[in-house]
Structure formats: structure tokens, C-alpha cells
Amino acid sequence: MAKAVNICPKCGQQTFFETPTGRKCSKCGHEMIVPANGGMGGKGQLCRNCGMFTVFNGKCRNCGAKFG
């Protein structure tokens, strides 16, 4: 379940939810895409949930699964 802990830079409401690829405002639709691996690129680790190599920093960018 996503948490609205950040304020949207566009509408100023506390509705900026975390998504698998970055953040998105549920009120105005503003979206911020964060580059994988801090912009360094490369192939991620294998996700046990979806089978893709898209796990960076313990989180899959394809399906959103979190690994500890």
C-alpha cells in the first residue's frame, strides 16, 4: 500500500505517492520518473516475483515488489 508522505510540487497537496518507477500525484497526475540505479544504468538483479532483471536497491521497477 502506498503512502502519501510527500507534497506534490505541482499542486502543493500531500498526494505524491511512490510508484515502481518514481512518484505520481493522485490529484493532478504530475509524475516524476526516477532513473534506475541512481542514473548509473546497468542490469538489475533478478526479481523473484516477475522474473525480470529490474531489481535496484531492493525494489523491482517492473512490478513494485520489495526485497529486504
Side-chain angles (χ1 to χ4, degrees):
M1 184 137 163
K3 295 181 181 180
V5 294
N6 289 340
I7 296 174
C8 177
K10 188 173 181 182
C11 68
Q13 299 295 314
Q14 196 173 6
T15 54
F16 214 39
F17 289 91
E18 188 174 343
T19 63
T21 57
R23 296 194 175 273
K24 184 173 183 178
C25 179
S26 62
K27 183 175 181 180
C28 69
H30 179 70
E31 190 169 8
M32 179 187 300
I33 298 175
V34 180
N37 199 18
M40 300 295 284
K43 184 167 106 173
Q45 295 177 341
L46 178 66
C47 177
R48 295 185 302 254
N49 190 40
C50 68
M52 304 289 287
F53 287 93
T54 53
V55 176
F56 296 97
N57 300 322
K59 183 176 165 191
C60 180
R61 293 181 54 86
N62 187 47
C63 68
K66 292 184 181 179
F67 302 99

